[in-house]
Amino acid sequence: MTAASEASVAAETPSGGRHALLRSDRAKGLALISPTFVYTLIFLLAPIVVVVVHSFWTQTYLTIDRTFTLENYKTALTEPIYRDLLVRSLYISLTVSVATALFAYPIAYYISFYGAQRKSLWLFLITIPFWTGYLLRVMAWKVILGYNGVLNEALMGLGITSQPVSELLYSTNAVIITLIHAWAVFAVLPIFVSLEKVDRTLIEAATDLGDGAVRRFLRITLPLSMPGVIGAILIVMIPTVGDYVTPKLVGGTEGVMIANAIEAQFGRAQNWPLGAALSVTTMIVVSLMAGACVLLLRGLVRLVR
Amino acid sequence: MPETPRSSGETMIDIANVTRRFGPITALDTVSAKIREGEFFSLLGPSGCGKTTLLRLLAGFDQPTEGTIAIGGQAMADIPANRRPTNMVFQSYAIFPHMNVAENVAYGLKRLRLGGGEEKRRVEEALGQVQLGHLGKRRANELSGGQRQRVALARALVMRPKVLLLDEPLSALDKKLREQMQVELRHLQKAVGITFILVTHDQYEALAMSDRIAVMFDGRIAQIAAPKDIYQRPVSRQVADFLGGMNFIAADIVGEDGSEVCLETVGFGRVTTERPPGFVVKGRSATLGIRPERLRVLWDDDTSEHEIAGTVVDRHYFGEITHLIVEIPGLQQPLSVIETNDFGADDIPVGSPIRLAYDPEALVAMGD
Ligand SMILES: Nc1ncnc2c1ncn2[C@@H]1O[C@H](COP(=O)(O)OP(=O)(O)OP(=O)(O)O)[C@@H](O)[C@H]1O
Ligand SMILES: [Mg+2]
């Protein structure tokens, strides 16, 4: 906020020290980021502050009691239902993000190393599923995984099962499969970009020093594309924890996630402070899990080389 | 070809009729060469003549369209790059950015699983050879250009290859550092006794460092010889022109036998010179060449057995030397003369008559 005012003052008085300030790299940098900074402040930070503040208050029927309390956090952390939902959400988002990255890596690798002149065409083709809405794509999975769905028909047709498998839809796995499909492209892009940045002569140098295809992948390509993998995992992990549409549509009772509980608190249950406390708890736990993932992956990479 | 003192004379690399085509482009056209063990061999040529392509064929990153390559007596056709007895210093150095200097140098050794501190010892030895002993812990992105070049060198040397391939390793360095590295590279090569193949487009670098030079144009090797031979006895105008300046004088062939040719020219009269290897007679005309520094200004009453007279038409001052352009009656092109400034060549007025002395030994016959 000071950045914007500072820059404008400096622009109005183009003399002496003020002028020098405007010319300094620091001032230029601040001036450049100030619009985004203000935007971030209003639309990102403010809502978070509102949520955090609410989490320390108490709902008393229709009004809110504004005395400081930690009761909501106590409920959020000790109540088994919320704990279970949180653990399940973390499990789902971790599985989805890791699986998506594993699934996206070969695709990104193929496009980057073998795409030749058709790289943009390949990337374009990959985004085609996104031309339909998210809900439609989730519905499509309902058709595939349903009791009379495509997958069950196929399994029976091949004689693998004699009658439809009912566990396919309305389960944790259904949520995981749908989310992986939904997020795959977001994982392909950062991995692709980081693979593109891997200098190909480094790979030749590794070959020259005696490494075969597997070793040079593990020692050069993978570590150097790790920022992309980490980016992909975070991009998928953070929003999927808070997803509530997918569990609602394909999760059934088994696939309910923490966001569904949060939604209920802000909606039907009319307990905003508890919903806020659940949100903040989720936010913190996800950040911790993301941080742990980053450290773990970095450590793994160090290990292979 | 004259014996080079440092190489043992055994053939280390045998390149036989190698052609490499990229679609319609012929990057290498029936190239043949034998490179000796322990030799410092340079590939010299203008940009795009196929130097890198040839080096990549030797390293195994690419396969010849036709022809064969043998290293140390072994055919290389089925041997992939990671199992060849060669190591490469890349033009961009290709230092692994996620590792420090010592890890970069140890990269190829890791796979060999050397026990008992052997790996550490060899890394330290290699870093010592390139005078980087104190920088082992430095990260790759904290190095200067010269230091990166040394790391790349140490990383290749530590593998103790039979052949070290260097693709313009000095071109990214500034002039002073480049000259220093030229001397160091030469010393290092003598010390380790490994066959070095250096790609360069800098004629002085090739002349100063090599035992032998292969000059390439358009995917072909025009001449392979020791630096002095290649400078003094270029086989063609193209080679002569690429290695320093040369005065070209149109000549008629008036006689020839197996070892000598006799040329008739304006100005230099009738000249009999050694017949260069690969001299091809096309019709009756040839070219006589003389290096600008082999023409000497005759002052006052000086005389010489071999002299020609002309007029100074231009003069360029270069500090320790002066470049004179001298018109000789009857010659289409004026001669360029390089004279040191000790006797006042920088004061010769433009337009004044001048006499030049030359040594007939310095005259070379070339095919057109
Ligand atoms: N992979 C390739 N595909 C198509 N053409 C190529 C390829 N590699 C090289 N060429 C062509 O082969 C010719 C020789 O290239 P090369 O890289 O060997 O030249 P060079 O002598 O190393 O030049 P420079 O001094 O500029 O590095 C060039 O005309 C180049 O365009
Ligand atoms: Mg090249």
Side-chain angles (χ1 to χ4, degrees), chain A residues 82-247:
Chain A
Y82 298 131
R83 229 183 28 219
D84 288 354
L85 282 181
L86 187 60
V87 169
R88 184 189 296 158
S89 302
L90 293 181
Y91 162 75
I92 290 179
S93 76
L94 187 66
T95 315
V96 168
S97 52
V98 171
T100 310
L102 284 179
F103 179 67
Y105 199 97
I107 300 175
Y109 187 90
Y110 178 82
I111 299 175
S112 178
F113 280 78
Y114 301 99
Q117 268 78 313
R118 299 208 192 80
K119 283 178 191 173
S120 358
L121 177 68
W122 278 112
L123 290 176
F124 170 75
L125 288 177
I126 281 184
T127 60
I128 280 187
F130 281 74
W131 293 14
T132 54
Y134 182 63
L135 286 181
L136 281 178
R137 272 178 289 137
V138 178
M139 289 301 175
W141 278 105
K142 271 188 138 165
V143 174
I144 296 172
L145 299 171
Y147 191 75
N148 291 319
V150 179
L151 200 59
N152 268 328
E153 296 280 329
L155 286 178
M156 285 191 298
L158 290 170
I160 297 170
T161 52
S162 52
Q163 41 177 296
V165 185
S166 58
E167 290 88 61
L168 285 179
L169 194 57
Y170 302 124
S171 68
T172 311
N173 288 337
V175 177
I176 290 176
I177 291 173
T178 312
L179 284 175
I180 290 175
H181 175 242
W183 288 92
V185 177
F186 295 102
V188 169
L189 291 177
I191 298 175
F192 171 77
V193 170
S194 69
L195 281 171
E196 281 290 282
K197 279 201 295 193
V198 175
D199 183 352
R200 302 303 195 254
T201 46
L202 294 179
I203 298 169
E204 275 187 352
T207 314
D208 188 63
L209 292 166
D211 274 358
V214 175
R215 281 181 157 273
R216 64 182 178 249
F217 172 76
L218 289 176
R219 296 174 79 189
I220 302 295
T221 317
L222 187 59
L224 290 178
S225 59
M226 223 1 121
V229 175
I230 290 173
I233 287 182
L234 295 186
I235 279 181
V236 179
M237 181 189 288
I238 291 163
T240 47
V241 175
D243 193 19
Y244 69 94
V245 177
T246 318

Side-chain angles (χ1 to χ4, degrees), chain B residues 22 25 27 45-54 91 167-168 199 201:
Chain B
F22 297 104
I25 303 164
S47 189
C49 72
K51 308 179 294 289
T52 299
T53 305
L54 182 55
Q91 182 164 4
D167 191 358
E168 309 206 23
V199 161
H201 58 244

Side-chain angles (χ1 to χ4, degrees), chain A residues 204 207-211 219, chain B residues 56 82 87-88 98 107 111:
Chain A
E204 275 187 352
T207 314
D208 188 63
L209 292 166
D211 274 358
R219 296 174 79 189
Chain B
R56 292 175 59 84
N82 57 333
N87 279 109
M88 182 123 152
H98 54 307
Y107 188 94
R111 191 180 32 90

